[in-house]
Amino acid sequence: MTQPTAMPQAQNAQEERKAQKGRPVRGRYGPGLLVPAGLAAALLLLAVAGPWLAPQDPVAGSLDDRLLGLWTPGHPLGTDTQGRDMLSRLIVAVRPSLIGGLLPVAVAAVAGTLLGAVAGLAGRITEQALLRTLDVLYAFPGVLLAIAVASLLEPGLSTTVISLSFVLTPAVARVSFTEVQRIRTAEYLEAARVSGAGRTAVVLRQVAPVVAPVVLVYCSSLVGLAIVYAAGLSFLGLGVAPPDPEWGAMLDESRPALLTHPAVAVLPALTILAVSVVFNTLGDALRVRTGDSRALLPEAVR
């Protein structure tokens, strides 16, 4: 007699488990989030304290000590083509490399959110003008657009930030616009307009709190890509210029010794890979935890 009632209960329990699989897990921080978050925090601390932690001067070199191998006394990671300590240069290069990756994402987050909000809440003409302008920028491959903008400016870290901001802003603006489109007819927005709130007040008090979490999660996935782009600009001579240490510039300087001393090039390349993986993993973990599957990193396919 109990069999007929047990079957519906089992089916309900199974459906509940399936429904819970797609829900974000709140209130708990698993290793999938804590590990990349801890590594990212350690990188930020290293960027701040790097110049004081470097065992030697990262710029001073000696031709007598050029291209020393790994585990050489006084130079655990060897030296580069100018006799400069590789460990010191890798440590000090954390700061410009992270600035080149984080600052453009921050600029794109602010500019893209504002542009998306304006396009979503303004009239049809303003919306189409902004979206078509962003489409023109988004039509170019990200690397080519960054090179084109950087080639118009003097090489330096500021050039990296400006050029990558141009590359990342259209993608962020599209995410922001999509979210604003989703909530533009919400009752609380209509109530705010009826009460006499201006467009600026509506954007800051009603729209921004809804759009910001989605944009922040999406932008966390762009940091790794921005670090790779920044290294690429320095590798091409459009970003941080030698002798200042930067991972992409270190790759460029190591090309003459690539065949005879590959470790000089492998070390900065592995560093770029490892750091980008850390931030990509952090972005994926944040997206999984918040249950946000709407922003699927369109910038990665450019």
Side-chain angles (χ1 to χ4, degrees), residues 206-231:
Q206 308 294 335
V207 177
V210 178
V211 176
V214 178
V215 171
L216 290 176
V217 171
Y218 174 75
C219 287
S220 66
S221 299
L222 294 179
V223 176
L225 182 67
I227 290 174
V228 175
Y229 278 6

Side-chain angles (χ1 to χ4, degrees), residues 33-171:
L33 178 60
L34 289 179
V35 172
L39 292 175
L43 286 169
L44 293 175
L45 291 176
L46 189 59
V48 174
W52 294 277
L53 296 177
Q56 298 190 28
D57 188 341
V59 178
S62 173
L63 293 180
D64 295 333
D65 296 331
R66 62 189 301 269
L67 297 176
L68 295 178
L70 299 175
W71 316 120
T72 300
H75 304 283
L77 297 183
T79 58
D80 63 3
T81 55
Q82 302 297 320
R84 296 169 297 199
D85 183 60
M86 285 293 294
L87 177 60
S88 300
R89 290 181 65 78
L90 289 173
I91 292 175
V92 176
V94 174
R95 179 182 294 180
S97 298
L98 287 190
I99 291 176
L102 292 172
L103 193 54
V105 173
V107 173
V110 176
T113 300
L114 292 177
L115 289 174
V118 171
L121 297 175
R124 184 70 176 177
I125 296 178
T126 304
E127 174 187 329
Q128 290 301 314
L130 284 174
L131 290 181
R132 297 296 79 80
T133 302
L134 293 174
D135 285 343
V136 170
L137 294 176
Y138 197 75
F140 289 94
V143 175
L144 294 183
L145 181 59
I147 292 173
V149 175
S151 63
L152 301 176
L153 306 172
E154 293 292 329
L157 186 57
S158 59
T159 296
T160 299
V161 173
I162 293 172
S163 59
L164 294 186
S165 298
F166 269 95
V167 172
L168 301 176
T169 297

Side-chain angles (χ1 to χ4, degrees), residues 179 182-183 188 203 205-215 294:
E179 285 299 300
R182 186 177 62 85
I183 65 171
Y188 64 89
V203 170
R205 296 180 181 178
Q206 308 294 335
V207 177
V210 178
V211 176
V214 178
V215 171
R294 287 165 293 200

Side-chain angles (χ1 to χ4, degrees), residues 77 86 89-90 93 97 224 227-228 231-232 235 246-255 258 261-278:
L77 297 183
M86 285 293 294
R89 290 181 65 78
L90 289 173
S97 298
I227 290 174
V228 175
F235 179 81
E246 199 274 344
W247 296 329
M250 292 171 65
L251 271 175
D252 179 45
E253 291 182 297
S254 66
R255 284 188 297 171
L258 181 60
H261 296 79
V264 179
V266 169
L267 288 173
L270 288 178
T271 305
I272 296 170
L273 174 63
V275 173
S276 63
V277 168
V278 167

